[in-house]
Amino acid sequence: MVVPLWAWAAVLGVILVMLAVDLFAHRRAHVVGVREAAAWSAVWVALGLGFGAIVWWAWGAEFAGQYFAGYVIEKSLAVDNVFVFAIIFGYFAVPREYQHRVLFYGVLGALVFRAAFIAAGSVLIASFAWILYVFGAFLVATGVKMAVHRNETIDPDRSVVLKLFRKLIPTTDEYHGQRFLVRRAGRWVATPLLTVLVLVEVTDIVFAVDSIPAIFAVTQQPFLVFTSNAFAILGLRAMYFLLADLMHRFVYLKLGLALVLVWVGVKMLLLDLYKIPTGLSLAVVAVLLAVAVTASWIRTRTAPATGAPAAEAAPVSRTP
């Protein structure tokens, strides 16, 4: 797959423009409602699917299939981020009107860090082909661990990152609008919003350790790995506001995500024995997620429309 430099520049330009549009649309702090979140989710999904159509037109069905497989995997694993974000926001009692600002800068940082991880992963694969087997084994082990510990919950008070941040950075417990830093007694101190942003950023880095190798399982094309990641992550904010109040309904989603990681890990381990077709790989991922979501909604069909706060109800297993 030959990708000209202008194609990379065009993709980065589109991403920056969309981020600017999103920032402008949310320049004033306000509570993002379900209707607004649904509209933005539709925009981001349309953008991601539209780019896949461009890949199909420019490079063919096989590379388009690889892009869509990576996009679906990243989009599904991003739901795990939503669980943890809900817990972090609940723990720090972040006002809902300030949450978008935290997620915006969190996503911006995620794009930078993931680009670095993808570049490093591409170099490793090009230099050491056997690293794919390491990635595959890691994904299988992670998936099994996630399945076994799927009902565990995290406690931000036990976070090593939080303890280190509070030890190194002067902080205040009071919110000051959307500001991350304020001046107190002649020195700058961090507001809870900056503490939350650091935790959100580190959480995404931890999750990227799983999701980046998972996408390398379906494509080793750096352009497709990055774009599938980027277009999936861009919709993370809207996804959070759309799903945060429904976290208690996804009781089997964690198990579904664990099986997805195991599947892509096995696919990577079998590369030299049998190359599983991209279409089959995508179909298996879609079926696993569809079954997990459907089973969750059937199991919780008698639950109220809005359940307990996500910070109390969402099971997670990965935390910084």
Side-chain angles (χ1 to χ4, degrees), residues 28-300:
R28 293 183 179 179
H30 68 280
V31 176
V32 178
V34 174
R35 180 177 298 181
E36 181 182 355
W40 273 102
S41 291
V43 169
W44 295 121
V45 170
L47 189 64
L49 297 180
F51 182 79
I54 293 175
V55 173
W56 195 316
W57 171 75
W59 290 283
E62 174 59 26
F63 287 122
Q66 293 177 17
Y67 164 81
F68 283 123
Y71 178 80
V72 170
I73 290 172
E74 181 57 43
K75 199 74 171 175
S76 60
L77 291 176
V79 178
D80 211 13
N81 297 48
V82 172
F83 280 108
V84 179
F85 293 166
I87 291 176
I88 294 173
F89 285 150
Y91 176 81
F92 286 94
V94 181
R96 297 196 64 158
E97 60 268 27
Y98 302 154
Q99 292 176 5
H100 183 276
R101 182 176 177 84
V102 173
L103 292 177
F104 176 86
Y105 287 106
V107 166
L108 193 61
L111 290 172
V112 174
F113 283 114
R114 289 181 183 233
F117 289 165
I118 291 167
S122 298
V123 171
L124 285 174
I125 292 172
S127 304
F128 311 101
W130 51 264
I131 201 71
L132 288 172
Y133 296 106
V134 177
F135 286 169
F138 173 75
L139 289 174
V140 171
T142 301
V144 172
K145 180 181 178 181
M146 184 187 296
V148 172
H149 300 285
R150 64 185 181 277
N151 293 321
E152 291 184 1
T153 57
I154 68 169
D155 180 4
D157 255 339
R158 299 170 59 186
S159 169
V160 175
V161 173
L162 178 59
K163 293 178 180 178
L164 184 62
F165 181 82
R166 286 174 167 170
K167 182 178 181 180
L168 297 177
I169 307 297
T171 60
T172 176
D173 293 330
E174 300 176 3
Y175 285 96
H176 294 264
Q178 297 190 84
R179 299 176 65 183
F180 292 113
L181 294 167
V182 293
R183 198 167 182 81
R184 285 284 186 85
R187 66 172 183 170
W188 290 100
V189 297
T191 69
L193 218 56
L194 181 59
T195 306
V196 171
L197 176 60
V198 170
L199 285 180
V200 165
E201 202 65 71
V202 174
T203 295
D204 185 79
I205 292 174
V206 172
F207 285 179
V209 173
D210 296 344
S211 61
I212 298 300
I215 296 182
F216 274 118
V218 295
T219 179
Q220 281 86 59
Q221 299 292 334
F223 184 71
L224 299 181
V225 176
F226 174 73
T227 52
S228 60
N229 235 275
F231 285 114
I233 289 297
L234 282 172
L236 184 58
R237 298 178 306 286
M239 181 190 295
Y240 169 79
F241 292 110
L242 191 62
L243 300 180
D245 291 333
L246 298 175
M247 289 293 99
H248 63 292
R249 299 292 303 272
F250 297 102
V251 292
Y252 295 124
L253 183 59
K254 197 77 174 182
L255 180 59
L257 295 176
L259 293 176
V260 167
L261 288 178
V262 171
W263 165 250
V264 296
V266 169
K267 180 180 184 297
M268 189 172 280
L269 290 173
L270 295 177
L271 277 176
D272 284 341
L273 297 177
Y274 174 68
K275 187 175 182 180
I276 299 174
T278 302
L280 176 59
S281 180
L282 179 57
V284 170
V285 171
V287 169
L288 288 173
L289 295 174
V291 170
V293 171
T294 302
S296 295
W297 282 82
I298 292 175
R299 170 72 182 276
T300 60

